Amino acid sequence: MNRVSTDNPHWTTLHEQFLKMSAGLAGETTADHYLRYLPSSEFQPLIDLQLYDGIQHFQVDALVVNPKLLLIIEVKNYKGELIFDLEHHQLFRKIDSKTDIFPDPFLQVEIQTLQLTRCLQHYNFPPLPIYSLIVIANPNTAIQTLDMDQQNLKRIIRAKQLPFAVREIDKMFIDEVWSAGTIQHFQQQVRKKHRPYRKSILIQFQLEEKDIIKGVQCPPCGQFRMSLKRDHWYCVKCSCRSKDAHLQSLMDYQLLIGKEITTPDFMKFARIESRKVAWRLLSEACPEYYGETRSRKYIGNNQSQPASSSTN
DNA sequence: TTCGAACGATTGCGCGCATT
DNA sequence: AATGCGCGCAATCGTTCGAA
């Protein structure tokens, strides 16, 4: 967010969207956390998917695959009080004496179920029962339902219930339709076709590359006026020094534009003049890459957080 | 005790070659 | 032409020492 000038005409809208989206990402992270408690040998969760059903691409927050069923998990991280109105396919959210209306998540997962069925047909996989869950990631969110039957009610769960709910659902199905080989094949197909569905923030917020402030940001003063000395970044504004201020820039790039970055991309984004320096910093920060020479792309490593080692 | 000069060790950069 | 990377050189850092 700090890479967009406050003078930008869309700043206020952007800021609101950014806050909403941050909440969404946090929700998925929480659900990811509880999904890890599932034994992967039995339940095989796939997270953050973009799939193709032969007609169009669609998104799924998480998909649990096992021999008996496919389980779609839709994560919601709304704050406040949620009221599900299944009859009119609406979701109300009351917060701060204000009511917002969102699309019905049940309808959303029904469509996903349809699309997933088509996806299986498209790739010639044997039909498998598809079940879906709506996970409320925020533990402080109150949940209310209007005229909802027990069956649907059971499909709304808290993130903490996830491992138990998955086991319960698993017990509802008896026939093992998919072999281990089919599951493996399906996972390979999904991974092959998978594209991270969180669109580039630039596209999502209708920003252009020129709207993004380039350079390396000084950790203490926030100015994008750091220049690279022999082995450290030096802030022209506040004279502080940092060994790894470029790591934040790298994370910004991955968040704004994409996980993959080339040396020239990094040179432009961090305003590094030397090809060799940019290459060195990038290869140190991203041990993972694919492709060779001119087509090499480095994959972001989110663990490479700046150590905030700045001094004056 | 503090400051600055000098010096050696370290480390990062530019050059240029190899590869695609 | 674009890029990765090895090698040699030089910039920079940390330490020591002497002068004030």
Side-chain angles (χ1 to χ4, degrees), chain A residues 176-215:
Chain A
E176 298 207 350
V177 185
W178 278 14
S179 65
T182 311
I183 292 178
Q184 201 180 358
H185 183 210
F186 178 76
Q187 287 175 327
Q188 279 168 356
Q189 278 289 334
V190 165
R191 290 202 178 100
K192 207 162 71 183
K193 306 284 172 197
H194 172 68
R195 287 187 282 158
Y197 80 73
R198 285 171 204 147
K199 284 185 278 181
S200 149
I201 288 177
L202 283 191
I203 299 165
Q204 217 170 85
F205 289 164
Q206 295 176 315
L207 288 170
E208 289 178 43
E209 205 143 336
K210 67 175 170 57
D211 296 319
I212 300 298
I213 301 166
K214 305 290 193 306

Side-chain angles (χ1 to χ4, degrees), chain A residues 65-70 120 125-130 170 173-183:
Chain A
V65 187
N66 83 2
K68 295 190 263 181
L69 80 152
L70 291 171
L120 296 184
F125 284 98
L128 192 64
I130 300 172
D170 182 65
F173 296 85
I174 297 149
D175 297 336
E176 298 207 350
V177 185
W178 278 14
S179 65
T182 311
I183 292 178

Side-chain angles (χ1 to χ4, degrees), chain A residues 24-295:
Chain A
L25 290 179
E28 284 165 43
T29 312
T30 316
D32 290 359
H33 171 75
Y34 292 106
L35 276 168
R36 290 198 191 99
Y37 287 104
L38 296 172
S40 60
S41 56
E42 282 175 70
F43 296 109
Q44 314 271 353
L46 296 160
I47 289 160
D48 178 23
L49 300 176
Q50 172 160 286
L51 301 164
Y52 183 64
D53 68 358
I55 300 168
Q56 60 184 348
H57 289 95
F58 64 103
Q59 290 88 42
V60 175
D61 285 346
L63 186 66
V64 171
V65 187
N66 83 2
K68 295 190 263 181
L69 80 152
L70 291 171
L71 173 62
I72 295 171
I73 296 171
E74 177 62 28
V75 184
K76 297 293 172 201
N77 194 42
Y78 300 127
K79 285 181 189 166
E81 183 185 348
L82 295 180
I83 302 154
F84 288 84
D85 179 0
L86 202 64
E87 192 184 346
H88 303 101
H89 293 299
Q90 294 173 117
L91 171 65
F92 298 99
R93 193 269 300 268
K94 284 187 184 172
I95 188 165
D96 303 331
S97 66
K98 198 175 81 175
T99 305
D100 299 316
I101 303 175
F102 295 97
D104 174 19
F106 282 97
L107 190 59
Q108 189 184 346
V109 293
E110 289 316 319
I111 293 167
Q112 284 172 342
T113 305
L114 201 68
Q115 289 174 313
L116 191 54
T117 311
R118 281 210 305 248
C119 177
L120 296 184
Q121 285 168 357
H122 181 72
Y123 294 111
N124 294 320
F125 284 98
L128 192 64
I130 300 172
Y131 199 87
S132 52
L133 281 177
I134 291 157
V135 178
I136 307 301
N138 190 330
N140 302 319
T141 306
I143 304 169
Q144 272 195 42
T145 49
L146 299 178
D147 306 324
M148 197 176 286
D149 64 60
Q150 285 297 311
Q151 206 60 31
N152 278 329
L153 207 58
K154 279 188 181 171
R155 287 165 62 201
I156 308 172
I157 62 159
R158 304 275 183 192
K160 276 188 181 173
Q161 289 174 267
L162 198 45
F164 316 107
V166 171
R167 284 174 189 283
E168 281 300 309
I169 293 161
D170 182 65
K171 281 184 200 161
M172 290 160 48
F173 296 85
I174 297 149
D175 297 336
E176 298 207 350
V177 185
W178 278 14
S179 65
T182 311
I183 292 178
Q184 201 180 358
H185 183 210
F186 178 76
Q187 287 175 327
Q188 279 168 356
Q189 278 289 334
V190 165
R191 290 202 178 100
K192 207 162 71 183
K193 306 284 172 197
H194 172 68
R195 287 187 282 158
Y197 80 73
R198 285 171 204 147
K199 284 185 278 181
S200 149
I201 288 177
L202 283 191
I203 299 165
Q204 217 170 85
F205 289 164
Q206 295 176 315
L207 288 170
E208 289 178 43
E209 205 143 336
K210 67 175 170 57
D211 296 319
I212 300 298
I213 301 166
K214 305 290 193 306
V216 170
Q217 189 177 29
C218 170
C221 80
Q223 293 287 315
F224 287 90
R225 294 182 66 190
M226 295 209 101
S227 68
L228 189 57
K229 299 292 171 191
R230 205 178 81 96
D231 65 346
H232 64 269
W233 291 92
Y234 173 77
C235 178
V236 179
K237 183 85 191 300
C238 73
S239 310
C240 84
R241 287 159 52 161
S242 167
K243 283 260 183 197
D244 53 16
H246 60 282
L247 292 180
Q248 185 59 52
S249 298
L250 194 55
M251 284 163 63
D252 289 351
Y253 183 94
Q254 286 158 0
L255 191 66
L256 287 164
I257 293 156
K259 269 204 130 184
E260 298 164 359
I261 184 169
T262 63
T263 309
D265 291 339
F266 187 52
M267 282 173 75
K268 274 186 236 159
F269 193 77
R271 288 193 191 281
I272 298 170
E273 284 177 22
S274 159
R275 189 168 64 82
K276 180 69 179 276
V277 175
W279 171 77
R280 182 179 57 78
L281 294 176
L282 196 53
S283 46
E284 279 170 9
C286 307
E288 199 186 334
Y289 64 83
Y290 66 86
E292 288 303 323
T293 65
R294 56 197 298 182
S295 62

